[in-house]
């Protein structure tokens, strides 16, 4: 999409986590870069609180986000003394449903003496058979915890979450976070969803991370338009620099003037039986994004440059 937005000099607010490795003056990245989700999640798994994992299964859907994220994570794990002998990397196509042999492989890998964790970048419907097969083969969260980057409240809607209890997700927001700003955000969405009869949300309104990122982005855009007194792209880009917004996650989010990424907090949540998350770990405050991961050797010397030039 980048060539289209850049050629027409239009703005894209991108509210989903992504693999980094790009910057564009026409994009504001309101979702997480790898250091705002993937790296902290693996650091948590390696910590005492997260189970002191020493072996890792990097399991993803076969497309650019999982492959690039896992390239970064493999390099990060090497920096922590984890060797390739203690890393398995596997990919499955979109819509994949047979996880029997992969779970058996994980089970064997985990039985070889070192605490093992799974980092999941599985996307979409494949998550249902993946977690179901974990349960079928008796792999509990206490044995081999799974931390997911694409499983949130909406993905757990209508799924029996009981077999998933204790497994983890890393996001920059959870619906269950308690503070007045989030209470108001959930209340306003619930009223809107019910009034509009939005499918799925009319009876069970849910908020999630990409919704919060969208909410922050559209409000920052409105603030920038007000400041610029114009919707002209270049004037709005200039006015977006340093915009702040009190986010439902409980922190004030800031738009970085140079790299067009939000400074975002990171939360690790445990799946509860009701499909919500219990936050078990969080950063002390918002984390500045690193679009160019320092764990990719080719990025050495690359810095966040003002992208408006």
């Amino acid at each position: 999409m980048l060539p289209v937005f850049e050629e027409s000099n239009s703005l894209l607010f991108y509210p989903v986590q992504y693999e980094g490795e790009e910057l564009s003056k026409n994009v504001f990245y309101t979702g997480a870069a790898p250091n705002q989700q993937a790296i902290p999640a693996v650091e948590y798994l390696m910590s005492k609180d997260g189970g002191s994992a020493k072996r890792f299964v990097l399991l993803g859907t076969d497309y650019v986000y999982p492959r690039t994220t896992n390239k970064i994570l493999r390099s990060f794990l090497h920096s922590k003394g984890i060797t390739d002998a203690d890393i398995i990397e596997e990919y499955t196509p979109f819509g994949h449903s047979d996880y029997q042999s992969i779970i058996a492989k994980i089970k064997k890998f985990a039985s070889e003496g070192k605490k093992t964790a799974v980092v999941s970048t599985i996307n979409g419907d494949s998550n249902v058979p993946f977690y179901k097969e974990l349960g079928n083969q008796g792999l509990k969260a206490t044995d081999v915890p799974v931390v997911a980057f694409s499983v949130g409240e909406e993905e757990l809607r209508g799924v029996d979450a009981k077999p998933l209890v204790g497994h983890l997700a890393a996001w920059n927001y959870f619906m269950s976070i308690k503070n007045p700003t989030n209470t108001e955000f959930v209340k306003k969405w619930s009223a809107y969803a019910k009034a509009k009869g939005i499918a799925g949300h009319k009876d069970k309104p849910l908020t999630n991370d990409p919704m919060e990122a969208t909410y922050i982005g559209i409000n920052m855009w409105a603030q920038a338009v007000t400041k610029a007194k114009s919707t002209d792209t270049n004037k709005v880009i200039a006015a977006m620099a340093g915009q702040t917004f009190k986010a439902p996650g409980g922190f004030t989010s800031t738009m970085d003037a140079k790299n067009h990424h939000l400074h975002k907090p990171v939360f690790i949540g445990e799946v509860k039986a009701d499909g919500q998350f219990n936050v078990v770990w969080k950063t002390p405050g918002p984390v500045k994004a690193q679009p160019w991961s320092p764990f990719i050797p080719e990025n050495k010397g690359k810095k966040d440059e003002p992208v408006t030039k």
Side-chain angles (χ1 to χ4, degrees):
M1 300 190 301
L2 281 181
V4 177
F5 281 93
E6 289 172 349
E7 188 180 334
S8 63
N9 197 29
S10 300
L11 289 178
L12 170 65
F13 283 74
Y14 191 71
V16 185
Q17 85 277 36
Y18 84 121
E19 65 279 0
E21 306 307 302
E22 67 169 61
L23 284 176
S24 171
K25 83 178 184 73
N26 295 92
V27 181
F28 287 96
Y29 305 82
T30 58
N35 75 301
Q36 295 173 312
Q37 185 186 34
I39 297 287
V42 172
E43 285 179 320
Y44 175 75
L45 292 171
M46 296 175 82
S47 72
K48 190 177 176 184
D49 288 343
S52 304
K54 298 284 191 288
R55 303 192 102 186
F56 290 86
V57 179
L58 309 179
L59 182 58
T61 302
D62 195 2
Y63 72 110
V64 64
Y65 166 66
R67 284 193 176 271
T68 307
T69 299
N70 287 337
K71 179 181 178 181
I72 292 166
L73 288 179
R74 185 181 283 270
S75 183
F76 170 73
L77 289 169
H78 290 167
S79 77
K80 297 292 182 182
I82 307 288
T83 66
D84 284 332
D86 288 320
I87 302 171
I88 288 179
E89 195 169 336
E90 292 266 351
Y91 296 97
T92 52
F94 279 101
H96 188 74
S97 59
D98 183 4
Y99 281 92
Q100 238 178 321
S101 59
I102 287 176
I103 301 299
K105 188 175 180 180
I106 293 171
K107 201 171 179 181
K108 182 178 182 299
F109 189 62
S111 71
E112 291 168 4
K114 291 181 182 175
K115 183 67 179 177
T116 301
V118 176
V119 178
S120 171
T121 44
I122 295 172
N123 213 315
D125 295 345
S126 293
N127 278 293
V128 175
F130 166 67
Y131 283 104
K132 191 174 180 183
E133 189 58 35
L134 275 180
N136 289 348
Q137 296 199 29
L139 268 189
K140 297 185 178 132
T142 45
D143 304 322
V144 179
V146 176
V147 63
F149 302 153
S150 298
V151 174
E153 294 84 350
E154 188 63 36
E155 286 71 28
L156 296 180
R157 178 194 294 279
V159 173
D160 179 11
K162 290 182 188 67
L164 282 69
V165 169
H167 286 299
L168 306 164
W171 290 103
N172 310 111
Y173 166 86
F174 287 108
M175 183 178 176
S176 59
I177 290 169
K178 298 205 168 11
N179 66 65
T181 310
N182 192 38
T183 300
E184 183 65 16
F185 176 55
V186 173
K187 186 178 167 186
K188 281 163 74 174
W189 169 250
S190 299
Y192 179 81
K194 285 174 184 174
K196 296 290 183 182
I198 294 172
H201 286 257
K202 185 179 178 183
D203 302 317
K204 189 184 178 184
L206 294 175
T207 57
N208 65 9
D209 180 287
M211 288 172 71
E212 191 223 24
T214 302
Y215 180 68
I216 294 167
I218 195 68
N219 275 283
M220 282 191 172
W221 175 83
Q223 290 171 186
V225 168
T226 304
K227 182 181 176 182
K229 297 185 173 63
S230 172
T231 56
D232 175 79
T233 295
N234 291 337
K235 289 177 182 176
V236 172
I237 289 171
M240 278 292 294
Q243 282 288 347
T244 61
F245 186 73
K246 195 171 181 183
F251 295 89
T252 296
S253 286
T254 304
M255 180 58 69
D256 195 281
K258 289 187 176 182
N259 67 30
H260 284 198
H261 287 66
L262 282 182
H263 299 189
K264 296 167 74 78
V266 186
F267 300 95
I268 309 285
E270 263 184 7
V271 179
K272 292 165 54 182
D274 63 357
Q276 287 289 321
F277 292 84
N278 177 42
V279 175
V280 294
W281 181 87
K282 64 181 179 181
T283 51
V287 175
K288 182 180 175 179
Q290 291 178 317
W292 307 112
S293 174
F295 298 103
I296 290 185
E298 306 93 277
N299 288 342
K300 194 172 181 183
K302 281 187 182 177
K303 292 179 182 175
D304 293 347
E305 296 295 333
V307 291
T308 49
K309 285 186 177 177

